[in-house]
Amino acid sequence: MTKYIKPFFIIVALSACLTGCEQASEEQKEPIADKKIAELRLQFAPDKRVALFQVASRNEGSKIVLTGETNIPEAKAALLDSLKDRGLTVTDSIELLPSAALGGKIFGLVNNSVANIRSDPRHSGELATQALLGTPLNVLKQNGEWYLVQTPDQYISWVDHGGLVVLDKAGFETWKGTEKIIYTRVAGFSYMAGNETAQPVSDLVMGCVLELAGEEKDFYQVKYPDGRKAFVNKKEAKPVDTWLAQANPTGDNLTDIAFQLMGAPYLWGGTSTKGMDCSGFTKTVYFMNGLVIPRDASQQVHAGQPVQSEQPFDQLEVGDLLFFGTPATPEKKERVVHVGMWIGDKKFIHASGQVRVSSVDPGNELYDEYNVNRFLRARRYAPNFEGSILEMKNEVLF
């Protein structure tokens, strides 16, 4: 019996080994895909606020199935090529945004004075950012009455259908070719007729852009993205071309806009004169001087040139941005959580409770000990607009 049993056990053992090896090979496929997805996410979309690469993998028999979505064609192509180069069989179910379901309507124009753009497609979702009337948007996909959009500063979040008008490429190019005005007062109204006793069409805030349809004495006749017509006092607006020609982010011009916003209420996610957070404030100040800068303080700190990384603030110039937070330690990364703008005389202006002026001088009544103690460093944007800074004179936005 023994001489017959021994070969039997050898055969069983070999069979188990082969089966186990085959299973191990199958099990290794998913980690390979997951590892590559993680690498490409770090390479192409390290900041999920401005880039979308939500991809996952799973095994189905001998195949790897890739699912999810991205708005970065290069990242998707790199993933597929990498896995196929390894001899793996791949089923590609990754949706490349903008979604084909949009039917080519992949452009949007903000249609309200201020559009609230949220982290989730629901009105109770966190306010991520705002966009002003006339701001062009890239539309990525639709979920019910909500659109996933990307703003000119590359922020990706959701806006409800009432906040924008969606267009195809032809419609968007037609709009871009029209003359426009920009509203330059902190806040006001457009009217149904060329006088300020007429019924308002809507409110307006600093930075709103409208198509110019004509002129009537002291008023511009304007057109909204949805076709509404209105009148705006010429004293409160400028033709966009004229405004851009004059836009110059000097210290004096930046502080002029900043002081017009004094007392504006703090609003997490806000970038308008109706309410703004710290980075929304600096973003608005620079926007009204012809620059689109990154949205959040933790993004703004990577733009421009380094100026100073320690006190006593003696290298700063008016208009420099000061960043505050928690420095890096061996255990934790640096956290940039606040930003303000230097205005000289040992003072900076920032949105904290409301837009206010604070001092770095312990002898001044405006001394801000809390922020002075968490100062990290300062950056200068002008005149070398390095990093993710869009100079609107050189790139047509409106």
Side-chain angles (χ1 to χ4, degrees), residues 261-339:
L261 302 177
M262 279 288 286
Y266 183 91
L267 175 65
W268 176 269
T271 63
S272 73
T273 59
K274 292 184 177 183
M276 53 187 64
D277 58 26
C278 63
S279 55
F281 167 68
T282 52
K283 178 177 173 59
T284 299
V285 170
Y286 270 88
F287 176 83
M288 292 307 297
N289 282 279
L291 300 179
V292 175
I293 69 173
R295 169 63 184 92
D296 292 340
S298 58
Q299 298 167 319
Q300 293 177 4
V301 74
H302 298 298
Q305 297 178 315
V307 182
Q308 189 164 2
S309 59
E310 57 185 20
Q311 301 179 32
F313 307 100
D314 55 354
Q315 300 173 35
L316 300 181
E317 296 180 2
V318 175
D320 290 346
L321 297 186
L322 285 70
F323 295 92
F324 308 88
T326 306
T329 68
E331 295 79 25
K332 294 183 179 180
K333 294 181 179 180
E334 176 187 76
R335 289 189 69 238
V336 177
V337 298
H338 191 60
V339 61

Side-chain angles (χ1 to χ4, degrees), residues 373-389:
N373 287 338
R374 63 176 187 162
F375 172 72
L376 295 173
R377 57 188 177 277
R379 308 284 291 193
R380 183 169 299 152
Y381 284 2
N384 302 314
F385 308 116
E386 298 179 5
S388 302
I389 298 176

Side-chain angles (χ1 to χ4, degrees), residues 135-150:
T135 299
L137 305 169
N138 292 325
V139 181
L140 300 178
K141 67 176 183 178
Q142 185 175 5
N143 182 352
E145 295 186 338
W146 291 82
Y147 290 91
L148 185 66
V149 298
Q150 189 165 33

Side-chain angles (χ1 to χ4, degrees), residues 36-37 40-41 43-44 52-53 55 66 69-86 90 92-97:
K36 193 62 186 179
I37 289 169
L40 292 173
R41 183 178 292 114
Q43 177 184 350
F44 288 97
L52 187 62
F53 189 68
V55 176
L66 300 175
E69 58 189 10
T70 181
N71 68 327
I72 313 168
E74 299 83 359
K76 177 179 176 178
L79 176 60
L80 294 175
D81 290 344
S82 175
L83 297 180
K84 289 176 181 177
D85 287 346
R86 291 173 176 267
V90 177
D92 173 19
S93 296
I94 302 171
E95 182 178 17
L96 188 60
L97 303 178

Side-chain angles (χ1 to χ4, degrees), residues 82-315:
S82 175
L83 297 180
K84 289 176 181 177
D85 287 346
R86 291 173 176 267
L88 301 173
T89 302
V90 177
T91 297
D92 173 19
S93 296
I94 302 171
E95 182 178 17
L96 188 60
L97 303 178
S99 172
L102 293 169
K105 290 190 174 183
I106 60 173
F107 301 94
L109 295 173
V110 175
N111 196 46
N112 295 333
S113 61
V114 178
N116 293 320
I117 304 181
R118 302 188 179 277
S119 298
D120 301 300
R122 52 196 174 91
H123 288 290
S124 58
E126 179 185 28
L127 183 64
T129 190
Q130 293 177 324
L132 306 182
L133 176 64
T135 299
L137 305 169
N138 292 325
V139 181
L140 300 178
K141 67 176 183 178
Q142 185 175 5
N143 182 352
E145 295 186 338
W146 291 82
Y147 290 91
L148 185 66
V149 298
Q150 189 165 33
T151 57
D153 56 21
Q154 303 305 304
Y155 225 74
I156 299 174
S157 294
W158 294 89
V159 61
D160 73 280
H161 72 289
L164 82 168
V165 169
V166 292
L167 302 168
D168 58 17
K169 184 176 181 180
F172 181 68
E173 291 299 327
T174 297
W175 175 83
K176 282 191 75 172
T178 63
E179 293 184 68
K180 300 173 189 72
I181 64 161
I182 183 167
Y183 195 74
T184 55
R185 282 190 60 182
V186 170
F189 295 92
S190 66
Y191 302 91
M192 294 188 68
N195 65 79
E196 293 185 348
T197 61
Q199 178 181 321
V201 174
S202 83
D203 72 309
L204 298 173
V205 300
M206 180 184 283
C208 286
V209 171
L210 287 154
E211 183 180 335
L212 178 60
E215 297 184 36
E216 185 178 298
K217 295 182 180 179
D218 295 332
F219 284 78
Y220 294 116
Q221 186 176 12
V222 297
K223 183 179 176 182
Y224 284 70
D226 63 3
R228 285 175 293 165
K229 295 190 178 172
F231 292 83
V232 175
N233 194 317
K234 289 182 178 180
K235 294 179 181 179
E236 301 175 1
K238 292 181 179 180
V240 165
D241 291 344
T242 302
W243 170 71
L244 280 177
Q246 297 171 345
N248 186 13
T250 64
D252 287 345
N253 290 340
L254 291 166
T255 53
D256 176 63
I257 296 297
F259 279 115
Q260 289 184 50
L261 302 177
M262 279 288 286
Y266 183 91
L267 175 65
W268 176 269
T271 63
S272 73
T273 59
K274 292 184 177 183
M276 53 187 64
D277 58 26
C278 63
S279 55
F281 167 68
T282 52
K283 178 177 173 59
T284 299
V285 170
Y286 270 88
F287 176 83
M288 292 307 297
N289 282 279
L291 300 179
V292 175
I293 69 173
R295 169 63 184 92
D296 292 340
S298 58
Q299 298 167 319
Q300 293 177 4
V301 74
H302 298 298
Q305 297 178 315
V307 182
Q308 189 164 2
S309 59
E310 57 185 20
Q311 301 179 32
F313 307 100
D314 55 354
Q315 300 173 35

Side-chain angles (χ1 to χ4, degrees), residues 340-353:
M341 191 183 80
W342 190 253
I343 57 174
D345 193 27
K346 298 184 179 180
K347 295 175 182 175
F348 63 97
I349 187 169
H350 59 136
S352 177

